[in-house]
Amino acid sequence: MAKEPSFTCTACNAATTKWSGRCDTCDAWNTIEEVKPLSNGPKSKKSIGSGRGKQITLTDLATLEPEPPRTLSGVGELDRTLGGGLVKASAILVGGDPGIGKSTLLLQAAARFARNGLKVLYVSGEESAAQIQMRARRLGLTESPVKLASETNLRDILTTLEAEKPDFVIIDSIQTMWLDTVEAAPGSVSQVRSAAHELTTFAKTNGIAVVLVGHVTKDGQIAGPRVVEHMVDTVLYFEGERGHQFRILRAVKNRFGPADEIGVFEMTGKGLAEVKNPSAMFLSERGDPAPGSVVFAGIEGSRPMLCEFQALVAPSPHSQPRRTVVGWDGSRLAMILAVLESRAGVPFTGLDVYLNVAGGLRVTEPAADLAVAAALISAREDAALPKDCVVFGEISLSGGLRPAPQTENRLKEASKLGFTSAITPVRAKRGGVSGVELREMNTLLHFVEQVFGER
């Protein structure tokens, strides 16, 4: 009896037995693709269990190295995001929007690693070797000992890797690779999954560090089955707005270092340059105090970082007011607006609300709640906060304020950049940073009354 076909959603990896236009699990459209079997399986039931497999080698835990050896690239922001450098026999997945600078970053990283003694191979399935050489010439990397290849057949690539025995390989991109043993088009679920599995296995067994470049969907997620993210050791997202020259490399998964670590780069005419003081960079274009502008002292990975929240509140000409957010969670904005109206008596009915994080940064931590509330009230009341003040803290649904972790590190970063006051929730453990005046609040209503006057 022929096996029934199976289908998988490329957005959420949900399985189904039939094709449909919309996924029942994540409601995404046109993401259901047929999954071809990777092999025909055993020919008969008699062959199952009739033989024995190869004995595997066991290693004593006491003989293992306490820390995997790392190779530094010399680019501090890249090494920070990787968790302290490149780990041998690791698989790294890098995703980002088209044209954001993934290939530029990886070509620069390949050149740095090659100069540090690694044997590096750059394989492109989207560009010819001549096109890569043109980019290398523009970036001033023509003297770097990086070997280039242009190929999409994975069998030929693996054969070359076995012969060359490189230390570091870049595959650009995983969606263009194809296996002749899988009956599916390049970029399909089966091909992407099989190619990623082959490359990851090859990296582990041969001690080669492999970087896979992945395309992203319109939602910002890496295209293809989500199982690819589970196969690799590290998942990096390259973020940034095209209107800004700043780019952020964010680690969302890392088996060899902290997750949510970020590296900040600036796009220049000669490639990507690392930014060693991101807080000063994100606040460099901040002018005089203006209504709706609030500086937030946040934590990205292991580093404190200051950024600016900008809010605009205006009467809505429509029956349904608009809520537009860039760089923050839209659902959390709706929650903050509801708490402000219910617990602090600050209504936003009939008002359009626009919220933006300056510089193209994306903030995810809950400690930004109080800074967002301050920006919204400041824009609504047309009252600016002092220029030398930072705000951070989490807001609960009851209207209470919860202290943020690593308060001292946030205050130290603010003091280093010249800020002299901070508005924070009340903490059980007292203490601060010299030169920074603390204004502690216990509830959202107390904050509104103390900062903007009684309602």
Side-chain angles (χ1 to χ4, degrees):
M1 181 181 295
K3 185 178 181 180
E4 295 184 0
S6 60
F7 300 84
T8 302
C9 174
T10 59
C12 65
N13 204 36
T16 180
T17 57
K18 62 180 180 179
W19 184 91
S20 61
R22 185 177 69 176
C23 175
D24 295 333
T25 303
C26 65
D27 294 331
W29 287 91
N30 298 323
T31 58
I32 305 295
E33 293 188 3
E34 184 177 359
V35 179
K36 297 290 185 179
L38 301 183
S39 63
N40 295 328
K43 296 181 179 180
S44 63
K45 294 183 179 180
K46 294 181 180 180
S47 62
I48 300 177
S50 58
R52 291 186 177 182
K54 181 176 64 175
Q55 186 179 23
I56 62 175
T57 303
L58 301 179
T59 305
D60 190 355
L61 186 62
T63 64
L64 298 180
E65 297 182 6
E67 182 71 20
R70 299 176 184 270
T71 303
L72 297 178
S73 66
V75 181
E77 295 299 303
L78 177 60
D79 293 334
R80 171 193 288 270
T81 309
L82 291 175
L86 183 68
V87 178
K88 184 179 179 181
S90 62
I92 303 169
L93 180 63
V94 179
D97 294 331
I100 202 70
K102 300 185 299 297
S103 299
T104 299
L105 173 66
L106 293 177
L107 186 57
Q108 288 183 261
R112 289 293 191 108
F113 282 118
R115 291 172 185 172
N116 291 343
L118 296 186
K119 189 176 182 180
V120 181
L121 179 62
Y122 190 107
V123 181
S124 176
E126 301 178 348
E127 297 177 294
S128 64
Q131 290 175 314
I132 303 174
Q133 287 177 336
M134 289 175 58
R135 182 186 298 114
R137 189 176 299 111
R138 177 174 57 85
L139 299 176
L141 305 176
T142 53
E143 301 299 326
S144 301
V146 177
K147 294 188 177 181
L148 305 178
S150 179
E151 183 57 63
T152 58
N153 190 326
L154 191 59
R155 292 300 173 198
D156 295 341
I157 294 173
L158 294 178
T159 301
T160 303
L161 295 182
E162 290 178 352
E164 293 289 336
K165 293 181 171 54
D167 302 308
F168 182 47
V169 179
I170 297 174
I171 305 295
D172 188 7
S173 65
I174 188 62
Q175 276 85 6
T176 60
M177 300 294 116
W178 64 279
L179 277 166
D180 50 10
T181 57
V182 179
E183 297 179 358
S188 62
V189 174
S190 300
Q191 286 285 4
V192 172
R193 182 178 56 189
S194 302
H197 180 265
E198 290 278 353
L199 287 167
T200 303
T201 304
F202 186 86
K204 301 296 183 183
T205 55
N206 293 274
I208 298 174
V210 176
V211 173
L212 310 177
V213 179
H215 297 305
V216 298
T217 63
K218 61 182 180 180
D219 298 328
Q221 302 295 324
I222 295 178
R226 296 300 299 270
V227 70
V228 175
E229 297 187 15
H230 300 288
M231 290 180 184
V232 298
D233 301 307
T234 304
V235 179
L236 306 178
Y237 278 92
F238 205 38
E239 306 170 353
E241 298 291 336
R242 295 213 175 178
H244 297 278
Q245 70 271 30
F246 307 119
R247 302 289 187 268
I248 297 174
L249 185 65
R250 185 186 302 273
V252 298
K253 172 190 175 182
N254 195 348
R255 289 174 179 160
F256 309 114
D260 290 331
E261 192 70 80
I262 69 168
V264 184
F265 300 86
E266 182 179 4
M267 180 65 76
T268 65
K270 294 186 177 180
L272 290 160
E274 60 177 329
V275 178
K276 297 182 179 180
N277 191 353
S279 297
M281 179 266 293
F282 283 116
L283 299 178
S284 60
E285 299 179 358
R286 187 168 184 259
D288 296 331
S293 174
V294 173
V295 176
F296 165 62
I299 297 289
E300 291 290 343
S302 61
R303 76 198 309 175
M305 181 177 298
L306 270 60
C307 63
E308 180 185 4
F309 274 92
Q310 300 170 344
L312 175 64
V313 178
S316 176
H318 309 287
S319 58
Q320 186 70 25
R322 306 186 79 177
R323 304 287 187 258
T324 304
V325 187
V326 177
W328 206 53
D329 186 11
S331 301
R332 202 157 188 92
L333 173 63
M335 185 195 76
I336 297 300
L337 292 174
V339 175
L340 281 172
E341 184 166 358
S342 177
R343 306 300 184 186
V346 184
F348 286 86
T349 305
L351 299 174
D352 287 338
V353 175
Y354 301 89
L355 183 69
N356 175 52
V357 182
L361 182 65
R362 179 165 184 82
V363 179
T364 57
E365 63 168 327
D369 290 350
L370 191 57
V372 171
L376 294 173
I377 302 174
S378 173
R380 183 184 183 278
E381 300 298 321
D382 197 26
L385 268 69
K387 185 178 181 179
D388 59 351
C389 179
V390 297
V391 183
F392 57 91
E394 183 181 354
I395 299 176
S396 65
L397 292 179
S398 62
L401 300 182
R402 297 177 179 174
Q406 303 188 43
T407 298
E408 288 75 14
N409 291 337
R410 301 172 195 261
L411 296 176
K412 287 179 182 178
E413 183 72 10
S415 176
K416 185 173 66 175
L417 294 176
F419 290 87
T420 58
S421 63
I423 301 176
T424 67
V426 176
R427 295 176 295 158
K429 181 181 178 181
R430 297 286 177 171
V433 176
S434 61
V436 179
E437 178 187 359
L438 291 181
R439 300 178 61 185
E440 296 184 329
M441 313 290 176
N442 54 4
T443 64
L444 184 60
L445 179 60
H446 183 210
F447 165 77
V448 174
E449 292 175 349
Q450 292 292 320
V451 179
F452 298 97
E454 295 188 8
R455 305 298 306 154

